[in-house]
Amino acid sequence: MKKTVLVSGGAGFIGSHVTVELIEAGYDVIVADNMSNCDRTCFEGVKKITGREDLPFHLVDFCDAAAAEKLFSENKIDAVIHFAAFKAVGESVDKPLMYYRNNLDSFMNVIEAAQKNGCTNILFSSSATVYGEPDVVPVTEQTPRKDATSPYGNTKKMCEDILQDCVKASGGSLKGILLRYFNPIGAHPSALIGELPRGIPNNLVPFITQTAIGKRECLSIFGNDYPTEDGTCKRDYIDIVDLARAHVCAVARMLDGKMEQGCEIYNIGTGRPVSVLELVNAFEKVNGLKLNYRFAPRRPGDVVAIWADPSLANEKLGWKATRSVEDTLKSAWEWEKHIAGR
Ligand code: WQD
């Protein structure tokens, strides 16, 4: 009997890639999204890649408890992966209530509706942002979480706590997995789905590809006086398809009854630190172009260096990041060209 996975926020960047991988691994998927931060591009792309023209889609705002309840009561859902959330760090500083309201309400409604309707497997999309500026790198899952530097980061921490508390209170019936993503980049090799930032991109790779295509004049590299080899910040950039596959492994672990704890936490990263300058150079080299960039002042709130120790995910999930940063940067460029040509 095929298992059904609900992907909340499934029309977005990460959700759409996860949907593809779940379908390709043999799961039935229900996509739900309120489309507040995306259009239908990625959902249509998912249907094309998978050949699933009948892929179920529900226009649902999970802040609406009744709508969440309706979705769970009318469908047999074995596991839910919760992505539906706002994600712009800067915006969250200006509009904290909007972030707390949306990101917390929607997740609590999902947990409540899931539990009420017998769906006992919940996977939450968390972030390495919960580690703040770590004292030691790479970070393991035991590395202490630090105070969040933005309401966005705080919602990730709070949602982690909410799920852990609910799992504890369930007396063993509810299972949770928290995946802490490092920096997801790139696009599906088909170039039919990818990141579609609205307005000026906050994140590095969309800014790079938009500069390369001429949509932005110049990339500002925020800070070249950090205490790193080349003075720019270091991150763990993880290919979006690799990241998506980690969800398939995590869902399988839950549904196959392999979990060793009620709530498990995994770092989803490569374990490979890359500086901003190294990433820019790799992008230029692999795509055979020159990028217009300049050094600019540090961006407030940036951490100097963070990368994952992914060995727990490697061991327990049987998952490993496989794509090179070069291949990923190629896919990001193919996607930018694809959307420019639409
Ligand atoms: C990476 C590096 C910048 C843009 C954020 C969130 C995190 C997660 C992913 C989001 C940094 C530098 C960037 C630019 C630059 N969640 N940079 N010029 O800050 O590591 O993580 O996004 O949904 O929670 O905090 O990612 O891509 O913004 O930045 O020099 O125009 O690139 O300073 O060193 P970050 P990023």
Side-chain angles (χ1 to χ4, degrees):
M1 193 47 184
K2 266 188 159 188
K3 301 277 190 185
T4 301
V5 182
L6 169 66
V7 182
S8 82
F13 172 45
I14 303 181
S16 59
H17 287 83
V18 169
T19 300
V20 167
E21 297 307 313
L22 285 168
I23 292 171
E24 289 182 350
Y27 291 98
D28 277 336
V29 180
I30 298 174
V31 175
D33 206 299
N34 69 356
M35 309 304 276
S36 66
N37 194 30
C38 61
D39 59 23
R40 288 187 68 89
T41 307
C42 286
F43 184 68
E44 295 305 323
V46 170
K47 291 201 289 188
K48 221 181 223 173
I49 295 166
T50 58
R52 285 284 313 274
E53 269 310 312
D54 57 345
L55 179 62
F57 175 83
H58 296 263
L59 188 66
V60 172
D61 182 345
F62 287 95
C63 290
D64 177 348
E69 166 61 24
K70 188 166 185 286
L71 186 63
F72 276 92
S73 62
E74 289 179 357
N75 295 277
K76 202 200 145 320
I77 294 164
D78 297 292
V80 51
I81 307 182
H82 183 68
F83 293 109
F86 294 152
K87 61 169 188 179
V89 178
E91 184 185 51
S92 80
V93 175
D94 296 333
K95 301 175 182 167
L97 261 192
M98 184 174 117
Y99 271 68
Y100 288 119
R101 179 88 68 201
N102 183 70
N103 292 7
L104 302 183
D105 270 358
S106 62
F107 192 41
M108 290 189 289
N109 288 340
V110 163
I111 299 174
E112 197 164 48
Q115 273 194 293
K116 218 170 136 195
N117 291 283
C119 168
T120 55
N121 299 290
I122 300 179
L123 194 154
F124 176 66
S125 116
S126 191
S127 166
T129 194
V130 301
Y131 296 117
E133 175 89 64
D135 299 325
V136 180
V137 277
V139 293
T140 72
E141 293 76 1
Q142 262 69 55
T143 299
R145 297 186 312 174
K146 291 248 175 100
D147 284 346
T149 54
S150 71
Y152 161 76
N154 221 8
T155 66
K156 289 292 173 197
K157 274 179 82 177
M158 292 164 97
C159 285
E160 286 197 348
D161 294 343
I162 289 169
L163 184 57
Q164 284 184 308
D165 287 346
C166 291
V167 165
K168 241 184 259 161
S170 77
S173 67
L174 185 65
K175 300 277 179 214
I177 291 187
L178 309 174
L179 296 184
R180 292 181 177 155
Y181 312 147
F182 284 70
N183 288 59
I185 62 165
H188 193 267
S190 65
L192 291 171
I193 56 176
E195 203 168 356
L196 269 179
R198 291 217 165 141
I200 302 171
N202 297 308
N203 297 115
L204 178 59
V205 169
F207 208 106
I208 289 177
T209 56
Q210 288 196 6
T211 305
I213 208 134
K215 242 171 139 175
R216 311 270 157 219
E217 209 156 292
C218 183
L219 167 76
S220 293
I221 294 184
F222 299 136
N224 64 342
D225 57 353
Y226 282 103
T228 59
E229 289 82 351
D230 63 22
T232 65
C233 294
K234 286 169 147 184
R235 295 288 183 275
D236 186 332
Y237 296 96
I238 170 143
D239 183 87
I240 186 67
V241 176
D242 276 335
L243 180 97
R245 288 186 179 149
H247 295 73
V248 178
C249 297
V251 162
R253 183 169 168 88
M254 287 180 135
L255 294 178
D256 297 346
K258 300 255 171 68
M259 285 180 65
E260 292 160 25
Q261 291 169 44
C263 192
E264 298 182 349
I265 305 176
Y266 296 103
N267 283 341
I268 304 302
T270 65
R272 167 195 65 201
V274 174
S275 76
V276 177
L277 206 50
E278 284 170 340
L279 196 86
V280 166
N281 290 337
F283 180 84
E284 291 185 324
K285 192 162 170 220
V286 77
N287 294 311
L289 40 82
K290 273 257 145 279
L291 199 68
N292 192 20
Y293 70 84
R294 65 190 158 102
F295 293 110
R298 293 179 176 193
R299 184 173 69 175
D302 270 341
V303 306
V304 180
I306 183 165
W307 66 94
D309 175 344
S311 40
L312 192 69
N314 298 162
E315 186 199 329
K316 301 283 182 189
L317 298 180
W319 166 87
K320 210 174 173 11
T322 57
R323 251 169 134 193
S324 68
V325 82
E326 285 78 14
D327 282 347
T328 304
L329 290 171
K330 242 191 252 175
S331 74
W333 181 228
E334 290 309 315
W335 165 246
E336 186 66 57
K337 288 188 286 185
H338 171 76
I339 48 178
R342 288 187 308 172

